[in-house]
Amino acid sequence: MRTDRKSGVSGAVTWGLLAAWAANDLEEIATMAGWLRTARPRLKDRLPRVPDRVWERADLTQREVNTAIGIMGVLVAAAAADGARTGGRSAFFRTTLAGFGLHGVVHLAQSAAYGGYTPGVATSPTVVVPYSLWALRRLRAAGIPVGGARAAAAGLAFLPVAVAGVHAAARVLARPRTPGA
């Protein structure tokens, strides 16, 4: 694997973000739309105060799931490319990496709270969290500050904004087109 001479960080660290994301999101593509349909009654029972309009917005078609994941893929690819360009020093890359690792922990927590499988949980302990911890260790070993609590907080704050944004865009982009409209 080629190592950036300036930083000592290999492409496996930076481009690994995109590869790990792809593994996790292939699982989500395969399971999310169907899981949401079957899990909704159980979720509504467990969360009775959530308004019906929220549950209606949570109904995602396979097309919306695919579109949202594709848009997020563009963001993750941009972060990985920026990380590769800067030898891992890009704040965008490091924040995305922190958010990605924390999102794996969120998947595990969601599954624990739900009491069963939730989309993305199978690859979280096997790919997302191990890759993220490994990449952070590689950055530290290369002398690149990973930011600690500040980067984790930024990554955690960025995650719901990014997810909400891509799902809102996907809902518009994946909307069925009517002839003549």
Side-chain angles (χ1 to χ4, degrees), residues 5 10 20 22 33 47 49 55 72 81 109 124-126 139 143 151 162 173 175:
R5 291 180 188 176
S10 73
L47 304 166
R49 293 187 176 191
W55 295 117
M72 185 65 81
S124 287
T126 58
L139 290 173
L173 293 171
R175 185 179 304 142

Side-chain angles (χ1 to χ4, degrees), residues 113-167:
Y114 180 70
Y117 177 83
T118 58
V121 75
T123 51
S124 287
T126 58
V127 177
V128 175
V129 173
Y131 158 75
S132 299
L133 292 173
W134 172 81
L136 289 168
R137 282 193 304 269
R138 298 302 312 143
L139 290 173
R140 276 192 205 102
I144 298 170
V146 294
R150 175 184 268 178
L156 200 53
F158 174 70
L159 179 64
V161 171
V163 169
V166 300
H167 279 285

